[in-house]
Amino acid sequence: MNEYILGIESSCDDTSAAVLQGTRVLSNVIASQKVHEQYGGVVPELASRAHQQNIIPVIDTALKTAKIEKNQLSAIAFTRGPGLLGSLLVGTSFAKAFAQTLNIPMVEIDHMNAHILVHFATDETHTEVPDFPFLHTQIVVVKDYFDMEVIGKTIDDAAGEAFDKTAKILGLPYPGGPVIDKLAKIGNPNAFTFSKPQIPDLDYSFSGLKTSILYTVRDNLKLNPNFIEENKADLCASVQKTIIDILMNKLVKASKQTGIKTVAIAGGVSANSGLHDAMLALGEKYHWKVFIPRLSYSTDNAAMVAVAGYFKFLKGEFASQDLVPYARQSLKD
Ligand code: ZN
């Protein structure tokens, strides 16, 4: 448990570095890129450039905060993919050069895998970790650290995209999730009803919801030009409730099908407070053990990469200097 692992995450628009001792987080530094807000989405070229600017200071801060020297590191874990290729190249190239300079191994980590393994990152206040197998929403059976099976997935948009697209329709800023969550707190979740998809098994969909919101807004705007403004909070609350219902219905189904009662959520959407409440309520109802990450571990962060890296380091699975990043999803179906 004494190995120091440096984690590097650069798959999208957050540059992050973390230092862990075993699974214990000593530092987790995240530099978010504000430059994308004005474009309503992440601009890949700008993201790569910002990573290039941020990566050295972020790693330097992570080491200083952890109070360790770079020559105390045992290994470097980095996100190999999926993500934006130009962004991944910054983290990957840095990891290669740094590992070679320090003459230590490096470990390649899958971003989605890392999100799920964040529940094993510990600190003074968080020492409880899930037992295998557990279920991850959007929907993965986690059998072991690196043995995960996707049993249900979206057939179109991810939940985060559903929030972003809703925000766009309502004229709210990007990213949509935090703004909608905030407005939803003061709105009535039953004010509007949006259609829910009828998809068999454990797959789900959000494209029908988007269309449903679009029609509701369009039809009402004809009658009242101030419709969005006057109903913003109710619209947000109702959309958020529908998205959560879609996710939670499938999670309940998955738990019943697999008999697994430990459930976890991670990734950007896990920052949503409505989702927390829904999961805790269902946990009470169905006697689940629920794991929800702290906010700094919900969004993209390097602690999750480092903790995944630690487990891979223990297995002795090291990456070679000639590997290249990959852009697309890699968790097996
Ligand atoms: Zn992510």
Side-chain angles (χ1 to χ4, degrees):
M1 284 292 279
N2 291 318
E3 289 87 356
Y4 292 107
I5 311 284
L6 171 70
I8 299 172
E9 156 63 33
S10 71
S11 65
C12 190
D13 61 340
D14 294 306
T15 318
S16 180
V19 177
L20 271 61
Q21 184 175 25
T23 61
R24 204 161 66 89
V25 181
L26 303 180
S27 65
N28 185 32
V29 181
I30 304 167
S32 302
Q33 304 177 358
K34 294 268 170 246
V35 61
H36 308 287
E37 278 171 13
Q38 56 186 302
Y39 299 98
V42 176
V43 184
E45 286 295 312
L46 297 177
S48 315
R49 200 190 311 197
H51 283 304
Q52 194 73 270
Q53 287 169 333
N54 292 342
I55 193 152
I56 303 270
V58 162
I59 287 169
D60 196 45
T61 308
L63 287 167
K64 284 195 176 120
T65 309
K67 296 190 176 64
I68 72 149
E69 300 293 329
K70 57 181 186 287
N71 53 20
Q72 288 177 271
L73 293 170
S74 299
I76 296 169
F78 64 96
T79 303
R80 184 180 177 188
L84 301 169
L85 214 48
S87 293
L88 290 163
L89 276 167
V90 177
T92 303
S93 303
F94 186 88
K96 284 184 182 183
F98 205 30
Q100 195 150 48
T101 308
L102 298 172
N103 197 23
I104 54 174
M106 52 177 189
V107 185
E108 55 148 309
I109 294 300
D110 179 272
H111 183 82
M112 307 314 287
N113 217 318
H115 266 307
I116 294 171
L117 293 180
V118 79
H119 297 287
F120 295 93
T122 58
D123 56 35
E124 308 79 54
T125 48
H126 293 83
T127 50
E128 202 186 20
V129 299
D131 290 320
F132 298 115
F134 65 89
L135 277 180
H136 180 260
T137 54
Q138 314 165 272
I139 297 170
V140 183
V141 179
V142 186
K143 299 169 191 170
D144 204 346
Y145 298 116
F146 301 102
D147 185 5
M148 306 187 181
E149 187 188 357
V150 179
I151 57 170
K153 60 180 187 311
T154 180
I155 57 167
D156 38 62
D157 295 341
E161 287 173 294
F163 278 108
D164 288 339
K165 287 181 178 175
T166 303
K168 202 167 186 182
I169 295 170
L170 300 180
L172 298 169
Y174 169 90
V179 194
I180 291 174
D181 192 13
K182 200 171 161 195
L183 283 164
K185 286 191 179 123
I186 51 165
N188 173 9
N190 301 311
F192 298 95
T193 310
F194 301 110
S195 69
K196 284 184 199 162
Q198 304 295 325
I199 308 219
D201 303 322
L202 296 171
D203 288 342
Y204 49 92
S205 157
F206 290 109
S207 70
L209 169 65
K210 191 191 83 181
T211 312
S212 180
I213 298 164
L214 213 51
Y215 288 166
T216 302
V217 168
R218 184 197 61 187
D219 294 348
N220 281 285
L221 277 176
K222 281 182 198 156
L223 308 170
N224 173 11
N226 297 321
F227 171 72
I228 293 179
E229 211 41 59
E230 286 168 12
N231 296 279
K232 212 171 244 178
D234 286 350
L235 282 164
C236 287
S238 303
V239 170
Q240 179 158 305
K241 180 183 182 293
T242 312
I243 292 174
I244 292 168
D245 282 351
I246 292 171
L247 288 173
M248 291 299 109
N249 286 344
K250 296 293 182 171
L251 187 62
V252 169
K253 198 171 172 185
S255 171
K256 283 181 181 160
Q257 268 181 27
T258 59
I260 298 171
K261 284 177 172 288
T262 301
V263 297
I265 186 160
V269 77
S270 69
N272 185 279
S273 70
L275 197 54
H276 294 182
D277 296 344
M279 273 187 83
L280 293 171
L282 288 171
E284 201 131 299
K285 184 173 174 191
Y286 294 107
H287 307 290
W288 290 345
K289 202 163 184 188
V290 176
F291 287 85
I292 296 169
R294 288 142 280 171
L295 186 62
S296 57
Y297 296 173
S298 291
T299 45
D300 288 348
N301 68 89
M304 68 184 195
V305 177
V307 77
Y310 172 65
F311 294 123
K312 236 179 187 180
F313 173 82
L314 292 182
K315 282 160 58 123
E317 279 183 25
F318 303 136
S320 70
Q321 277 282 343
D322 61 358
L323 67 69
V324 289
Y326 53 84
R328 299 220 166 270
Q329 172 70 283
S330 59
L331 271 182
K332 65 184 184 202
D333 287 343

